[in-house]
């Protein structure tokens, strides 16, 4: 607190990212990172980079990367916006489209950065309850709004919705922008990118941090109608002309073109997720049906907060949100098969697990 | 223009960065980049980087880089803020401190991104005229204000002011933040960093883009009282948790520790600047006394706009601002000695230069 702060700064409640531990020997299943390294082609870009070029500014328009993304998804360059992680893309999205008369609608449980952006940009928001089993039902969004945002698959619930439901919403809700945050879409859900070609009110946001294994490189993007992209460019160019460095641009070009590697690592994660879901079920965990690289799970009788502490004492980090309604769930990232075997065997050694047989 | 934009987006006039040409064979003296490559130690970090680590998020607090900067300037880690280029640091600074009742004061001619941030964050600003020969005189800032920002040395004028003048202002102006944008300070001016240790209302912003030859890596930082840094962190953590990628963090740690290389390349630029100033004077140019890596210069009788076009036709890019008051000046980046010799010999071949003898 300082007399020099703008009033709005005092009111902010900043986002708290998952812990990035500095000690080694930790099994890190808390921030939904990919357990596999990035594409070897992206790695080669970095290790062979002509560093003398770094004396020059990077391309403020990131044309090379926009073209690679456009090619990948069969859209045009002017349908693509890129930013410093999908968090920055989201921030510009909130500023560009959601400062409206009516409130922004979002699910009651979703990415916890959304309400933070609302505070930052002074956007009124309305949280729409999820239905039974955390089901996101877009029929609940038929009400006056200045925008709609949800994650598909949703986080931390891991559940996905059908493309047909999003299309139906896009048809009904023509006066505001519908943002589909697809950070996890590549692990089993259907992308709404094709809808952006037919509906000028749908914006899809994706990231290189999850399915492309480049969380440490900070690149995200949005795909939508060129007028939406133009709005984002206007905000971006009033904030920071060059948000992506040369290495981020060029390593992501290589990563997005390496579809074989992408398919192979994603399939491994999906297989491990299904194995883990089954094993955890045998230990008394009930997991929501996941289309992501994490499980949202609660135990029949062991408390989530206690389980998080137990796992932490065994050097396994998982994410826990002490928020009413989800405070008996753990969000567990799908790591390598070996990491998940370690998770399962560690849980099997929990001193109170034997009680399960008594239930 | 789109019905989906927030009203404020329609009103924005985005910043237009200097051209980044894609063709080769261009002598690029238009965006004040360093003509020398970054420190070989920074280069080694990149080319030897263990890219498997990129699957993980980078450190959201950038502790390693903050510590390296703190060491370099003999301040504490909590006096240091880092961001995605000094442009992002500036954006957060405007949001954190300048949204006040009174207008922000800035020089009439200075970094042209400042008014853009004012538009973005709805900040009223007041431009203070420069004195004769574009002299920035801080006595002119003794008036009600919600903040003061200037560049030292100033851009595009290249002139520097004395530390004593900034200190005197800091003593008088105790109710708002004074931001000293030191993007060019290493080319001959005195940094106000020492003042930040004694005045809680002074914030200094620097960049790796100019004197550290890392424009392509996008890293800037601010140094000030911990309460100011805390304000910046609150805004940053409500906008984007991880603005710096791993390569940006670690290459800049190496760069800032390589003081020998830094001193050597800066001295070469200063020497070339002095040589160029003298040679241009012989050709009829009058340059302001520069403490930067560029010259702000006008010709005795040739028009700046025409000269820019002539140089462009010879594949030499310089920056020109078609703004009343400075529209007969060129801003010419100091390149290598060879590049400046090419500039001088190209100007010598200008068909109208012979007229000089007649004047």
């Amino acid at each position: 607190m300082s007399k020099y702060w703008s009033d709005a700064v005092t009111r902010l409640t900043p986002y708290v990212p998952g812990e990035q531990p500095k000690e080694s020997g930790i099994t890190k299943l808390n921030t939904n990172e990919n357990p596999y390294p990035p594409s070897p082609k992206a790695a080669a870009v970095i290790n062979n980079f002509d560093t003398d070029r770094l004396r020059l500014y990077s391309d403020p328009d990131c044309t090379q990367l926009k073209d690679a993304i456009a090619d990948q998804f069969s859209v045009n360059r002017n349908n693509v916006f890129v930013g410093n992680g999908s968090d920055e893309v989201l921030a510009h999205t909130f500023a560009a489209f959601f400062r409206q008369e009516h409130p922004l609608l979002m699910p009651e449980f979703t990415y916890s950065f959304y309400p933070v952006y609302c505070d930052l940009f002074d956007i009124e928001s309305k949280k729409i309850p999820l239905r039974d089993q955390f089901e996101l039902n877009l029929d609940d969004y038929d009400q006056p709004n200045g925008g709609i945002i949800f994650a598909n698959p949703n986080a931390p619930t891991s559940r996905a919705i059908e493309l047909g439901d999003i299309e139906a919403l896009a048809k009904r809700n023509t006066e505001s922008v519908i943002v589909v945050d697809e950070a996890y879409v590549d692990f089993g859900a259907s992308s709404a990118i094709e809808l952006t070609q037919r509906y000028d009110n749908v914006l899809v946001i994706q990231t290189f941090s999850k399915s492309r294994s480049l969380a440490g490189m900070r690149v995200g993007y949005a795909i939508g109608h060129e007028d939406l992209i133009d709005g984002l460019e206007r905000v971006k160019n009033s904030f920071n002309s060059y948000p992506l460095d040369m290495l981020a641009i060029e390593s992501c070009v290589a990563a997005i073109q390496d579809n074989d590697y992408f398919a192979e690592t994603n399939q491994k994660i999906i297989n491990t997720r299904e194995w883990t879901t089954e094993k955890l079920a045998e230990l008394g965990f009930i997991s929501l049906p996941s289309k992501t690289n994490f499980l949202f799970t609660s135990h029949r009788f062991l408390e989530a907060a206690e389980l998080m502490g137990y796992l932490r004492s065994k050097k396994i980090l998982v994410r826990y949100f002490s928020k009413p309604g989800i405070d008996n769930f753990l969000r567990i990232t799908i790591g390598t098969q070996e990491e998940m075997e370690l998770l399962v065997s560690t849980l099997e050694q929990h001193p109170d697990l034997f009680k399960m047989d008594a239930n």
Side-chain angles (χ1 to χ4, degrees), chain A residues 287-301:
Chain A
S287 306
L288 293 180
S290 173
K291 296 291 186 187
T292 63
N293 70 337
F294 59 88
L295 293 177
F296 195 57
T297 191
S298 72
H299 193 265
R300 280 170 49 207
F301 57 86

Side-chain angles (χ1 to χ4, degrees), chain A residues 37-112:
Chain A
S39 158
K41 291 176 183 167
V45 165
I46 292 165
N47 293 141
N48 299 324
F49 198 83
D50 170 12
T51 54
D52 285 8
R53 293 168 54 211
L54 291 169
R55 68 179 189 82
L56 298 177
Y57 283 96
S58 49
D59 174 14
D61 295 323
C62 303
T63 307
Q64 202 190 345
L65 180 56
K66 284 181 183 170
D67 283 347
I69 294 168
D71 279 357
Q72 177 71 17
F73 297 109
S74 304
V75 300
N76 294 319
R77 183 197 296 168
N78 61 10
N79 297 128
V80 181
F81 177 80
V82 296
N84 183 249
S86 61
D87 283 348
E88 192 192 53
V89 177
L90 283 164
H92 290 329
T93 297
F94 276 65
F97 308 123
F98 293 157
R99 289 182 292 179
Q100 305 289 356
E101 217 175 301
H102 293 297
L104 171 68
L105 308 183
M106 65 177 76
E108 182 180 0
F109 299 112
T110 188
Y111 184 30
S112 51

Side-chain angles (χ1 to χ4, degrees), chain A residues 137-152:
Chain A
N137 190 315
L138 294 181
D139 291 345
D140 301 335
Y141 292 74
D142 288 335
Q143 46 182 295
N145 70 77
I148 296 172
I149 187 166
F150 53 86
N152 186 38

Side-chain angles (χ1 to χ4, degrees), chain A residues 204-226:
Chain A
V204 170
I205 297 178
Q206 295 195 353
T207 178
F208 282 86
S209 297
K210 310 295 185 185
S211 56
R212 300 282 173 182
S213 304
L214 282 166
M217 209 72 242
R218 318 303 314 120
V219 183
Y221 51 99
I223 296 179
H225 188 279
E226 62 181 274

